[in-house]
Amino acid sequence: GPCGLRTALELALLGGHVTVLEKRPADDAAGRINRLHLWEWCKQDLIAWGAKVFDPPGGTFGGDNDFCHIGIGELQLLLLKNALLLGVHLRFEVEARELDEEKREVVCRDGTRFRCDALVIVSGASSPLSRSLGFRSILCGLRGKGSAIGVVANFKNNRDPREIALRQFSWARQFNLPLFADVEKKTKVNLENVVYYKAQAHHYMVMTPTRRSLLDLGVIRDEKATQMLRGSNVDFSRLSTMVQRVGGFFGLPTELCESQGCMIFDFSGVQRLETPATLVGGVLACAAGDALLEPFWPEGLGIVRGFMSALDAAAAIVLAAQGSKEAAVTQMSLCYNVLKSVAAQTAGQCLQKDIRQYRLQPATRYILGA
């Protein structure tokens, strides 16, 4: 994923021999089309990595100061090209499962082994490798289970003049009650938030309908189901109809993309690790990205926290390579304590104000206690 590649880039710049193990096949590893909101520092970081030069994303990247975003697949390709130029090794269809402490080797599902002095887990929440190394994941409930549901729609972009003229937007109910009342009146969909981003090949819309609305529309079949959003409990035909109604209300074309046309997810709880790093048989193992801390989706925290954690891991590995392994674990913990608090409303208390000064060293990025 993007955070794993960003970690690999930083380690390669430091002169490390870096190997990325990706369990997905090469032709499927960068196929996700959903869009990611980018904070200003992430935007500037990607521009420094050639976002305006490489295509995708291309010369128009970051042109709209109000709505900066990038497709997940586009971001992966941008970082992948840089990784190849820096000599990072990539192995596809290889899944790391455990660490052989005695031999200091990562053991993969197919039996292949890779020697390592440091290991960064960037394989998403509930990683089997993370569990095998003794990391403990905890679930942090934001609200009651199923109380915060997101729906994504990707509509085809035919690039006609009307579609080119469409303006991007991000609305929350509390800031425009009349708009959301009109949406509900005309579509029967009760929304709390709605965001529209325009991409080259598709129109991306993400919204947060209320659970009651989804039940009334028949999208969710049984509200008492143990796993409310599992496939058998979701009527995807009605989900498609629902997002097309909302898209039509805002003047978007309503032909869904054949792949990843519409999706539904629960973000009422997020997983995070209790500790970000540990020593296993003398090998520094640390986590980054969603494997460390799942983001709160509405604030676009995934990439900013993910990239910060990538730099934190690289900085800790530098300390470990210098012989200060215990200090590396301690530094990761200090960074993690701050990173967990980074959010839209708290950034000013957690992060240094001048993003131009952000470097590998944590003190250039975080406001650390004495």
Side-chain angles (χ1 to χ4, degrees):
C3 296
L5 289 169
R6 184 63 185 87
T7 308
L9 288 177
E10 202 65 30
L11 292 171
L13 285 178
L14 292 165
H17 297 282
V18 185
T19 301
V20 175
L21 305 180
E22 170 58 64
K23 69 178 181 180
R24 288 168 292 193
D27 59 0
D28 185 48
R32 290 176 287 175
I33 64 174
N34 286 350
R35 313 292 293 178
L36 299 170
H37 169 69
L38 297 177
W39 287 30
E40 182 64 21
W41 170 68
C42 298
K43 168 186 167 181
Q44 297 302 327
D45 185 62
L46 293 179
I47 289 175
W49 284 108
K52 287 183 174 292
V53 178
F54 289 116
D55 187 9
T60 60
F61 173 77
D64 188 333
N65 290 327
D66 295 321
F67 300 101
C68 187
H69 51 87
I70 190 170
I72 299 175
E74 294 173 5
L75 177 56
Q76 288 173 294
L77 289 173
L78 166 64
L79 299 176
L80 174 61
K81 291 171 184 176
N82 280 284
L84 294 174
L85 289 171
L86 290 175
V88 173
H89 298 275
L90 289 104
R91 297 290 298 270
F92 293 97
E93 297 185 77
V94 175
E95 183 181 2
R97 300 292 293 183
E98 60 184 356
L99 179 67
D100 184 328
E101 298 181 35
E102 184 178 345
K103 295 183 179 180
R104 293 193 176 187
E105 292 177 339
V106 174
V107 182
C108 301
R109 181 185 287 273
D110 62 2
T112 55
R113 291 170 170 257
F114 296 88
R115 170 80 178 174
C116 74
D117 296 308
L119 177 63
V120 185
I121 303 116
V122 204
S123 48
S126 303
S127 161
L129 177 59
S130 179
R131 289 195 299 271
S132 75
L133 294 171
F135 287 104
R136 185 169 177 267
S137 178
I138 58 175
L139 181 64
C140 302
L142 301 169
R143 289 185 279 178
K145 186 174 179 60
S147 61
I149 296 174
V151 172
V152 170
N154 288 296
F155 303 108
K156 290 184 178 179
N157 187 344
N158 297 308
R159 305 294 298 165
D160 63 43
R162 186 187 69 81
E163 292 181 54
I164 292 172
L166 287 170
R167 297 178 66 86
Q168 302 179 107
F169 59 79
S170 177
W171 287 109
R173 172 180 285 274
Q174 62 265 38
F175 299 119
N176 198 335
L177 289 172
L179 172 67
F180 283 82
D182 197 26
V183 171
E184 185 174 7
K185 179 181 178 181
K186 294 178 179 176
T187 69
K188 309 301 181 186
V189 184
N190 186 0
L191 297 177
E192 295 179 347
N193 299 273
V194 60
V195 175
Y196 162 59
Y197 291 153
K198 184 168 22 179
Q200 288 294 320
H202 66 283
H203 301 278
Y204 170 81
M205 178 172 276
V206 60
M207 62 196 82
T208 55
T210 63
R211 178 170 60 177
R212 183 73 262 162
S213 180
L214 293 170
L215 288 164
D216 291 344
L217 292 167
V219 173
I220 295 176
R221 294 190 169 99
D222 180 9
E223 67 174 322
K224 296 181 180 179
T226 305
Q227 294 179 303
M228 188 182 297
L229 300 186
R230 66 182 177 184
S232 61
N233 200 47
V234 175
D235 188 323
F236 282 93
S237 175
R238 293 188 177 187
L239 179 65
S240 297
T241 299
M242 184 194 82
V243 299
Q244 287 172 321
R245 286 181 189 171
V246 176
F249 174 89
F250 286 102
L252 272 63
T254 56
E255 184 181 0
L256 290 165
C257 297
E258 286 88 355
S259 174
Q260 305 171 60
C262 62
M263 291 154 271
I264 188 168
F265 60 96
D266 186 343
F267 64 97
S268 53
V270 295
Q271 289 191 75
R272 71 184 189 198
L273 295 184
E274 283 191 327
T275 56
T278 188
L279 293 174
V280 183
V283 174
L284 175 65
C286 44
D290 288 0
L292 175 65
L293 175 66
E294 282 189 309
F296 179 52
W297 161 75
E299 293 187 0
L301 297 176
I303 291 299
V304 67
R305 282 181 175 175
F307 280 16
M308 286 283 180
S309 64
L311 296 184
D312 295 342
I317 289 171
V318 170
L319 273 180
Q322 294 170 343
S324 303
K325 294 182 179 180
E326 294 290 347
V329 174
T330 300
Q331 179 173 283
M332 278 291 291
S333 296
L334 290 172
C335 293
Y336 188 39
N337 286 338
V338 180
L339 187 64
K340 286 185 291 188
S341 299
V342 172
Q345 293 185 341
T346 61
Q349 290 78 51
C350 302
L351 301 177
Q352 299 288 352
K353 292 182 179 179
D354 190 356
I355 63 172
R356 296 170 298 179
Q357 300 302 317
Y358 287 9
R359 300 292 186 271
L360 181 65
Q361 290 304 314
T364 67
R365 296 175 281 116
Y366 299 125
I367 298 175
L368 299 171

